[in-house]
Amino acid sequence: MSLAPALGRLGAPGRNAGDERVRLALVDRLVSAGEPAGGEWVAAWHAASVTLAESLLATATGQLQNAALHSRMPKPTLAALLPDEAARARLIEQLTAEGIELERLEGLAPGAATDRVRGAALEAAWDRAQAVARREQDRWNRVASGVRHWRRPWRPLLIAAGVTIPLVTLLAAWLGGWLPAPAWFDPIGQAFWSLPWP
């Protein structure tokens, strides 16, 4: 008996969505199993959740890196914004949780009716997982937009210039004799003028 009818919309032809590869791998794994037991449905869902999360975060990482190239954001600043292992684990957990109904159905006796119930649960889980993925992608889009519009802060540079320029001007005035130098500066001035200037 073919499992495909029990998978409903999940077994339909491609829809050119970004997660198409994940959906096809999920369907292929279950159909290839022939008559998958409850545990195989759960394992297939978990594998799909991991792949979907990793695909989404890889896309987000690429977006952030491209945005950082545009804004010339320093690598250490960008590194703090990139998805990390905690973000990966959180997203996998969220996606996996959308298939909790499959775990509840794990102990059902095999048969066409059970496959239909599991297929409906899987279809609903996929729809919810796509909603989670869209929200996550929207969140990373906002982060990427912030990175793209990042500008180097001018305040530290202005403070450094405000301290450095007067200090250099004062030292030049002391060395050039335009201002009387303090006594502690005499050895520095003598050392400076004793250098073999061309």
Side-chain angles (χ1 to χ4, degrees), residues 43-182:
W45 176 253
H46 180 71
S49 298
V50 170
T51 305
L52 186 57
E54 290 177 344
S55 174
L56 195 154
L57 294 179
T59 299
T61 298
Q63 284 180 302
L64 266 62
Q65 289 171 337
N66 287 337
L69 282 174
H70 175 80
S71 65
R72 298 181 181 173
M73 176 181 275
K75 287 183 179 179
T77 305
L78 174 64
L81 299 173
L82 292 174
D84 57 9
E85 186 55 36
R88 177 183 177 276
R90 176 188 54 78
L91 184 55
I92 290 172
E93 188 175 321
Q94 284 181 313
L95 293 169
T96 302
E98 298 304 335
I100 193 75
E101 186 63 24
L102 292 168
E103 294 181 23
R104 295 193 184 106
L105 300 173
E106 215 172 334
L108 294 181
T114 297
D115 287 344
R116 285 193 297 274
V117 170
R118 286 181 177 145
L122 184 66
E123 197 174 341
W126 181 253
D127 289 342
R128 290 191 302 271
Q130 285 187 304
V132 169
R134 281 192 298 273
R135 287 194 300 271
E136 187 73 6
Q137 184 61 61
D138 287 345
R139 187 173 78 80
W140 287 112
N141 286 344
R142 289 191 297 273
V143 175
S145 178
V147 170
R148 179 170 286 275
H149 294 97
W150 178 88
R151 295 293 175 262
R152 188 175 299 279
W154 284 95
R155 186 175 179 153
L157 183 60
L158 292 175
I159 291 172
V163 170
T164 305
I165 291 172
L167 182 59
V168 169
T169 303
L170 181 62
L171 290 175
W174 286 346
L175 287 171
W178 298 308
L179 285 177

